[in-house]
Structures are given as structure tokens and as C-alpha cells.
Amino acid sequence: MGRELIMALFLSLSLLAVPFAAEAAGIRHYKWEVKYEYKSQDCYKKLAITINGRTPGPTIEARVNDTVVVELKNSLLTENVAIHWHGIRQKGTPWFDGTAGVTQCPIVPGDTFVYKFVVDRPGTYLYHGHYGLQREAGLNGMIRVSLPPGESEPYTYDHDRSILLTDWYHQSTYEQATGLSSLPFVWVGEPQSLLIHGKGKFDCSTPGLKAGLCNATNPECSPYVITVVPGKTYRLRISSLTSLAALSFEIEGHTMTVVEADGHNVEPFVVKNLFIYSGETYSVLIKADQAPTRNYWAVSKVVSRNSTTPNGLAIFNYYPNHPRRSPPTVPPVGPAWNDVAPRLAQGEAMKARQGYILPPPQTSDRVIVMLNTQNTINGYTRWSVNNISYNLPDTPYLIAVKDRLNHVFDQTPPPDGYDSQNYDIFGKPNNTNATASSSIYKLQFNSTVDIILQNANTMNADNSETHPWHLHGHDFWVMGYGQGKFDINSDPKKYNLVDPIMKNTVSVQPYGWTALRFVADNPGVWAFHCHIEAHFYLGMGVVFEEGVEMLGRYPTSITGCGDTKGYRRP
């Protein structure tokens, strides 16, 4: 009887353990209302898209394997909305990736939509609008995923802070979209301000401003303050969601040790200026080891463009100095905008941290070379990949592929390359022969895919732009960078097959190339696009499909547009 009692007790304890295992991962529930409000983030009053009255929106904080539930009400009144969870792979939940036209129908005014997904890795991630140009109107924020209890990072720090870098236009997204879609073409121009965590400073004495629109003493645009205690070490999670600008970020008199990029641990390296592109996230360690009697400048600056936008300024505040006390020095001017070498060097310096290396497959099954070009179609300016400018269909791809609605998008496969023998990437092209398409790349499930991003001259002489490319649903290994035209025979021999960093966003530099490798192991339909808002709007992107037949039924909440208008919703 004693043995039976022990066995019964063991069985009951085993059953009791099940709920505890389930409880190890929590549910983080957020209730958000998205609406327009007047804001003066850089002292100039304009409409911004806010979440619960805030821009940047609330930071999502969760632990690994938590389920995040965001109940989002669209109170924009006159426009749709969708929010993308940038860097979250959405394993098993591709319909909650938040990409209007790709994974869901947009959320119409007055509707509430529930996003529900698991955050399966620690690190620093982002969220932002993915409908029209809404990201640049202020619809953005950060996601911080911490390790499970009892686990620790391979580096130590005393405090953890977040800094979101953005650029800011005074013109509305409606006006910008209209200019981009018009004949003659009207470019969006350079942003008016750079914001550091939602705060900047526009010059209110600028001639021609309408009375009452700009107020330099508005507390809403007082500099962002990062308060530190002398001698302590800080983890700064620095992220960029600019709509156009590539940035350099520095803190006067201090160096920063890079330890994380896009959720992956980096073999530590020290920088004075951190180069950061739209869609990227970094964690740096910084020690408050300078003279504690004063404050210091934190500066963001546009690089890669000969920009007229003034630098963004924040205050690195040494306690107990007053947080509003200006540093006694002139802010650092930052690196030269057209010096590509240090930007390329930072990318090449980034390796996966020892003990955290996920080795890439040594070979790939498919190579897709993507020539990034500026083109015209019937006189309209567009951006293209391999001479094809991307158009979103009215019916989201995920639904169309799952339900075999082949008529709603172009079934002709896009090309895996371009005529590299004859195309001059350094010359001003006569790119008047581009075509628009809604076709998508069909990837064999579990295959290894190489993407070569090739940069070229725009339609302006002696001009090649920096493009940050972001892949939804995956991380990729950054296999290598190069200058000039990619050589498919010799350049792959130089790939880093030992300790390449994994990322979800990476830059391709002027007249250069960047090579990526990823495994198509996440059933769904996924966007891959330039993260510059106007460039993606003008067609600079593609879509990958993989393993959709393995998915269960999608939630009916993602339907309601295009050919899904007649679908029954609960």
C-alpha cells in the first residue's frame, strides 16, 4: 500500500505541474486606441498618429515565450490602419504580421482588431504602422523582450534604457503621397527635424511660418533627457524608425560597446558613432565615467544624404545635475555625411558572439540577385527590383495563396536576376522601360535562399542611395558586403561562413552590394522591402511565399477587402 500511495502522490504532483508549466509563459494584454492628435514634438504644431495619446507609443515589455495580445481600435475616422511587429517572426501566426495587403486586410475606421502572437526570443524589437505612410506620422514604438527568470545576458549592466530615433516632416502623409504619385513627380525632400525619443527642436524663427504654429518654449519639445548615475553602466537600446534618414548617433565624450543587434548577441566592439538605419535595433553598453559636474550632448545626425536637416539633440544628464541644464560645450558635429568607409567598417565588424553563434548552411539552394534601381513607368517615377516595380493587390496575398485565388495577383514569377554583364551600375541609366507587377517569389519550404542586394546609380548623375532592407518572418545571416558590382563567381568565396551576425534589417551602401542567407522555414507570405517609406511606397519591395499549404485556417478577422468582402465574419 505504501508504494501505491507514493505512486498516486507522484501522479497527482505530475498533473499539478502542468498548469505551472503553462504559467511559465505569461500573457501581456494591451488595449490601444489609434487616433490623430495635434502634437508639437519639435515645437511645430502638426497632426500626429498616436497610441493612447502618445507618440512614440507605449513600449511593449514581455518575457521570452509570452503571448502578446494587442486589442487595437482604429479611431482615425478617415483612414485604415495596420501595425507590423518588426522583428517578431510570427511562427504559426503569419496573419498577425500586420502588413496590409500581404497578411491582412487593413483595419477600417471604427473597427477593433486583436493581434495575438508569441515573442520567442529575447532582444530589442519595434512596431510601426504598415499602411500607406503612417509610420512617419508617429505610429511607432518599441518592444523589449527579456530572458526567462534565472537566465542572464552574457554582459552586465546596472540599468536598461530605450531610445527611439526618428525623423519628422511637417507636411502630411497625404500631401507626400500625392506628390510621389503625381506628374510631375514631387519628392518628399529632407525632414524638418530629427527626433530623439519623440522630441526635437525646429527653429521657430524660420521665415514664412504661420503665426501660432511654432512655440520654442512648449514643454512638449524640451530635449529628451537620459539621466545616469556616475560610475554606473547602462544598456541603451537604440532603435531607428526614420522614414528616410540613415543616422549616426553619439554621446559626447563617451564610447559605446555594441552587444546586441536585431535581437542577436554581437561579439562586443567599441564605437564612438553608432551608424543606424531605419528598422535596425542595437544595444550598446555605456559607462557614466566622465566628469560628473556637467551634462553631455547626445546627438543624431543624417548620414548618406547631403541633408539640410539639423542634428537631433538630447541631454545625457549626470545626476545630480539639473536634467534641463544645457552642456557647456558645442554639440559634436558628427561624421561626414558622404564618408562610406566607417559605415561599411561597422557592418563588417559585426560578428555573432562566441557561444551564441548559429552557423549558417554552408551552401544555398537558390540565389536571387536584386538590382535596386530608380525607374519611370509611363512617366511616373518609381523604384524597382530587377526592373519590376512592386504593386500591392487589393486581396492580401496570404488569403489569396491559401484559398488559391490566382486571379487576384500576377502569376508570372519575378526574375531571379538581371543582366549583370551589360548593366552599368555607375552610370545614369535610361530606365524608362520598367514594368509594374504584383507577382511573388515562391520558395521551396525549408530551402536555403541567398539574396544579393545590388545598388546602382539613380536617375540623377553621380548619385547612389543607401537602402535599408527588412525581411518579415525571418532573420537572415549577413554573409558579406562589397563595393562595386557583385561577382557571382568570386565574391561568394569571401562569405563569412563561421560567425556571421543574424539580423532582420541590413543596409546596402551606395554602388555596393550586401549578401544575405536565410532558410525558408516559416509557413506564410512575407514582405521584403526597403525600409525608406517613400521608396517602398514607390515599389521597392518583393514578397516571398513558403509552405502556406501547411497552415491551418486563418482567422476571419483578417478578411473584408478585395475578393474577401463577401467572406462571412463572426
Side-chain angles (χ1 to χ4, degrees), residues 13 30 32 40 55 66 79 93 107 112 140-141 221 259-260 273 294 412 424 428 432 470-471 563:
L13 287 171
Y30 295 85
W32 288 356
S40 299
T55 175
D66 280 355
E79 55 187 294
T93 53
I107 308 160
T112 297
N140 50 55
C221 60
V259 293
E260 179 219 349
N273 303 286
R294 52 162 290 194
T412 306
D424 179 11
K428 179 183 173 183
T432 54
H470 170 58
L471 178 60
D563 272 31

Side-chain angles (χ1 to χ4, degrees), residues 305 374 383 455-456 458 463-467 508-510 532 535:
R305 304 182 67 85
Q374 201 177 37
W383 280 90
N455 221 335
T458 67
N463 175 252
S464 182
E465 299 191 10
T466 302
H467 300 286
V508 55
Q509 298 293 342
I532 292 173
H535 289 183

Side-chain angles (χ1 to χ4, degrees), residues 177-190:
T178 301
L180 295 171
S181 307
S182 294
L183 274 177
F185 178 72
V186 182
W187 175 238
V188 297
E190 299 302 310

Side-chain angles (χ1 to χ4, degrees), residues 215-488:
N215 177 6
T217 62
N218 189 328
E220 202 177 335
C221 60
S222 57
Y224 184 65
V225 176
I226 308 150
T227 299
V228 296
V229 173
K232 299 292 186 183
T233 298
Y234 291 81
R235 176 184 185 174
L236 301 183
R237 299 174 188 255
I238 304 169
S239 306
S240 173
L241 278 175
T242 53
S243 56
L244 175 65
L247 298 175
S248 161
F249 179 81
E250 67 179 295
I251 295 177
E252 178 191 11
H254 297 72
T255 57
M256 298 177 283
T257 303
V258 180
V259 293
E260 179 219 349
D262 290 3
H264 292 275
N265 289 320
V266 172
E267 190 65 25
F269 65 98
V270 176
V271 296
K272 177 173 173 283
N273 303 286
L274 178 72
F275 296 104
I276 184 167
Y277 305 90
S278 180
E280 288 190 317
T281 67
Y282 289 100
S283 283
V284 302
L285 301 183
I286 183 168
K287 188 168 185 180
D289 58 2
Q290 297 302 299
T293 54
R294 52 162 290 194
N295 291 335
Y296 296 82
W297 293 110
V299 183
S300 63
K301 178 191 177 169
V302 176
V303 292
S304 88
R305 304 182 67 85
N306 191 7
S307 178
T308 55
T309 309
N311 291 355
L313 297 176
I315 294 176
F316 197 65
N317 165 229
Y318 268 70
Y319 183 84
N321 294 300
H322 194 283
R324 301 285 177 231
R325 183 179 167 194
S326 284
T329 47
V330 175
V333 294
W337 71 269
N338 56 355
D339 189 358
V340 176
R343 306 205 300 267
L344 204 55
Q346 178 180 298
E348 291 171 339
M350 231 179 302
K351 314 289 185 203
R353 189 175 184 124
Q354 294 299 311
Y356 295 85
I357 298 170
L358 294 172
Q362 297 296 287
T363 58
S364 64
D365 302 304
R366 184 175 179 183
V367 179
I368 303 173
V369 182
M370 295 185 174
L371 177 70
N372 300 171
T373 58
Q374 201 177 37
N375 303 65
T376 60
I377 301 178
N378 299 324
Y380 290 90
T381 299
R382 301 283 293 181
W383 280 90
S384 300
V385 174
N386 295 341
N387 222 34
I388 294 176
S389 190
Y390 170 71
N391 276 344
L392 278 167
D394 295 326
T395 305
Y397 286 112
L398 184 59
I399 301 170
V401 173
K402 183 71 176 165
D403 291 354
R404 297 186 176 89
L405 305 176
N406 293 339
H407 62 284
V408 303
F409 66 92
D410 188 349
Q411 295 297 304
T412 306
D416 278 14
Y418 72 106
D419 183 4
S420 61
Q421 287 288 101
N422 297 308
Y423 194 96
D424 179 11
I425 66 166
F426 298 102
K428 179 183 173 183
N430 179 22
N431 280 352
T432 54
N433 58 344
T435 57
S437 175
S438 59
S439 62
I440 61 178
Y441 288 94
K442 297 185 179 183
L443 307 179
Q444 185 178 341
F445 188 70
N446 262 338
S447 64
T448 300
V449 181
D450 279 3
I451 305 291
I452 315 301
L453 296 166
Q454 176 67 66
N455 221 335
N457 205 94
T458 67
M459 291 192 298
N460 300 315
D462 302 317
N463 175 252
S464 182
E465 299 191 10
T466 302
H467 300 286
W469 277 79
H470 170 58
L471 178 60
H472 293 224
H474 307 77
D475 289 339
F476 48 73
W477 290 273
V478 183
M479 306 303 290
Y481 301 87
Q483 294 175 299
K485 189 183 289 187
F486 177 78
D487 187 320
I488 201 161

